Amino acid sequence: MKTFQGKTVYNEIAIGKLFLYKRTENKVKRYHIENIDSEIERFNNAKKMAHDQLEELYQKALVEIGETNALIFNIHQMMLEDADFSQSVENIISTQMINAESAVALTSQNLSTMFSMMEDAYMKERASDIKDISERVISNLSENERKNSLITEPVILVADDLAPSETMQLDKSKILAFVTENGAITSHTAILARTMNIPALICVKGILKEAVDGKEAIVDGFSGTLFIEPDTNTKNMFLDKKEERENQKRLLKKLKGVKTKTSDEQEIKLYANISSVGDVGAALQNDAEGIGLFRSEFLYLQEKDYPSEDMQFEAYRSVAEAMAGKKVIIRTFDIGADKKVDYFNIPPEENPALGFRAVRMYIKRPDIIKTQLRAILRASAYGNLAIMIPMITSQVEVLKVKEMLEVAKNELKSEKIPFTEDIDFGIMIETPAAALISDILAPLVNFFSIGTNDLTQYTIAFDRQNDNVSDLYHPEHFAVLRLIKYVCDNARKENIWVGVCGEAASDLSLTEDLIGLGVSELSTTPSMILPLRDKILKSDFSECRRIVLDRIEPVN
Amino acid sequence: MKTFDYKITDSLGIHARPAGLLVKASEGFRSQIFIIAKDKKADARRLFSIMSLQIKMGDTVTIEIIGDDEDLAYEKLTEFFKNNL
C-alpha cells in the first residue's frame, strides 16, 4: 500500500479504480505563409467555431454546475474576442507571415506568462484558461478532434490538472473522484468538485510518476490522503466510514426542514454550538434552527492583546448575518487561569475551575466586558442576537451585569449607533448555587441555558480534567436531573424557556429525560442535530415526563 | 469627461467574472471608458487589461468616461459598480 498526500477540496470518501487521464495536446508546426488575408480568415473561422463550442459547453455547465460556475465559459468566449488576444494573433500573422496555429501558440504563451507572473493566486489560475482556449482554436485549425481518453466504468481520475472544458466534457456519472498533481483551490477542477460534490485531491505531488492505471485506491477527502492498493484493514475502515456518511446523508435528506416536535406536538428548538465564525457553515448545513452557544473565547485566545470592539463587532455581525434571522446566543467570555491568555494577567490559581473567571472577572474588571457588550449590541442590528452570561452564582451578579448592559445601551443611543433595544438576556445555569436559586433568578432573565458539563462537575464534586476521577462524570445522576427539574419548574412559573448546551444535549440516551423534565431547547455539535430531530420526532413528551419524574422523584 | 471613484467591496476584487461583465457593460456605449487603479490605466473594453490591474477588495478605482453619451454611461456604470463590486 502506498500513500500520497494532497490538499482536499471536498470532504467525502471515494473507493475505486484509478484511471490516468491522458490529454492529447496539439503539436504546433510553424511554417511560412504567403496569403495574409486567407490566413487571418482561417483564424477567424476557427475562432468562431471555438465560440460556438464554448456556447455548447456553457449550456451543459449551466445544468451541471449552475450559472455562477458556468460563467467561466462565457469568460473564455470574451477572452477569445478580446483585442489583446485576437489582435495579437492577427498582428503576428501579418508581420511574421506565419501560420495561424503558430500565431495563436505565441499569443497564448505571452498572455499566460503574464498571468502566471501575477501575485494574486486567482489571477495566476487564469493562465490555464488562456491555454485552454488556445488549444481549442488550434485544434479547430488542424481539424483535430480533441480526443479525451475513453472512460467506460466509474473511476478515480488522475491527471496533471484539468482545463475547464476538459472537466465539462467528462461524463460525471463515471467519475468517483479527481486526483491532480497540480491545481489550486480556485482552479476549475476544485470548483467543479465542490459544486458537484465529488471528492477531489489537488497538489498530490509525485502521483504522475507512479504507475497508477487500473490500481485500486481510496481517496480520503477528509485528511487529503490517497491510498493506492490499500491493505484490508485500511479498506474496511474506509468502507465503514463511507457507510456512516451515506447514513448521515440519508438522514439529512429526510429530516432537513422538518419541524422538531414530539409526537404529541411539543416543540423543541435544536440549536448548534459553535466556537468560531467558520463553524456557522456546518451549523447551517445540518439544519440548525439557531446558535444556542457561540463561544466567544476564540476572539480573546487568538490575539496577543484584548480584541477591539470593532474586531469583535465584525465577528458577531458576520454570524448574525449568516444565520439570517435565526437566533444567535453569544456567551460572554469565560476566561480563567486555565486558559493561556497572558495579557489577561491572571495570577496562577490552584483551582481555576473555582477561581477568578467569567462573571466574577466582569465585576472586578468591567472594561473588558463593557467592550464586548457594546460589540454585541452593535451587531444585534444585523440579525437576531441574544446575550448569555456564564458562571452565575448570585442574584447580585445578574443585576450588576444587567446594569452594565443598560449603560452600554445608553452610550450607543447617545452615539446614535443602532442596536436592538429589547435584546434577549439569559444566563447559564452551571453551578449548584444558580440551580438552587433559579426561582429568584428567573424573573430577571429571558432564558436559562444549563451547562451540564460544569453543573455535573460541581454537583458530583469531581475534577473533569483529572483522569483518575473523570469516570464520575454522570450527567444522568439523580442529583443533576433533580436540579434540572427544579430549574425547569421555576422557569415555567416565570414563563421563560430552558435550554441545555452541555454535552448532555448531544447524548441521545438523555434526550427523552431532558425533554420530560421541561427542557425545550438543545444546543449541540452540528452533526448531532439531525439524529436528535429523528429521536424527538419519535418521542412522546407526556410519556417522557411521566417516566423521568417517576424515576427521580424522592422516595417517600 | 465624467469621472467617478469607487471603493471595491467585493471580497474577490475585480476577478474574471465582474471584469467580463464590465467589458460587456462598457461595449454598449460610444464613449471611451477607462478604469484607473494604482497608477495604471486600462481600457474598460479589454478584458485582459482590466484583469492585469489586479484590483482587490478595498482598492479605490477611478472610472473615466469621454464621449457624447458620457452622461448615460456614467449613470449605468455607477449602478454597475454598486451592484457587482
Side-chain angles (χ1 to χ4, degrees), chain A residues 235-391:
Chain A
K235 193 164 179 200
N236 285 335
M237 181 175 86
F238 278 100
L239 279 168
D240 283 345
K241 221 177 173 186
K242 201 164 186 316
E243 211 194 301
E244 203 190 298
R245 298 288 303 164
E246 299 297 309
N247 288 339
Q248 271 280 55
K249 269 193 264 185
R250 266 192 294 261
L251 201 64
L252 204 95
K253 271 191 160 159
K254 223 179 30 165
L255 298 173
K256 241 186 169 182
V258 173
K259 211 168 167 80
T260 312
K261 51 182 180 175
T262 62
S263 57
D264 53 345
E265 306 293 311
Q266 197 77 353
E267 280 179 27
I268 306 291
K269 298 190 276 264
L270 286 177
Y271 289 175
N273 294 337
I274 61 170
S275 304
S276 72
V277 177
D279 291 344
V280 176
L284 287 169
Q285 244 186 10
N286 285 285
D287 208 20
E289 298 158 32
I291 305 290
L293 170 62
F294 181 179
R295 301 183 183 99
S296 62
E297 288 75 37
F298 75 98
L299 287 162
Y300 298 83
L301 292 168
Q302 70 191 18
E303 300 296 311
K304 295 214 169 61
D305 197 1
Y306 297 106
S308 70
E309 183 185 306
D310 279 340
M311 189 232 198
Q312 293 193 47
F313 163 64
E314 283 305 328
Y316 305 143
R317 181 178 76 151
S318 53
V319 175
E321 285 176 333
M323 291 303 289
K326 291 189 185 159
K327 203 171 207 77
V328 176
I329 302 175
I330 301 177
R331 180 185 67 188
T332 51
F333 74 93
D334 183 355
I335 302 276
D338 55 334
K339 300 233 166 59
K340 308 265 182 295
V341 214
D342 296 327
Y343 62 86
F344 265 73
N345 284 323
I346 307 169
E349 295 175 339
E350 282 223 5
N351 261 317
L354 304 175
F356 186 59
R357 57 184 274 206
V359 66
R360 301 159 181 196
M361 200 185 283
Y362 306 167
I363 292 172
K364 294 212 176 132
R365 296 204 205 166
D367 288 338
I368 318 173
I369 185 64
K370 179 182 161 181
T371 306
Q372 184 167 41
L373 290 174
R374 278 182 56 107
I376 296 174
L377 284 169
R378 281 170 62 191
S380 69
Y382 296 86
N384 184 356
L385 294 183
I387 300 173
M388 181 162 77
I389 312 296
M391 280 299 282

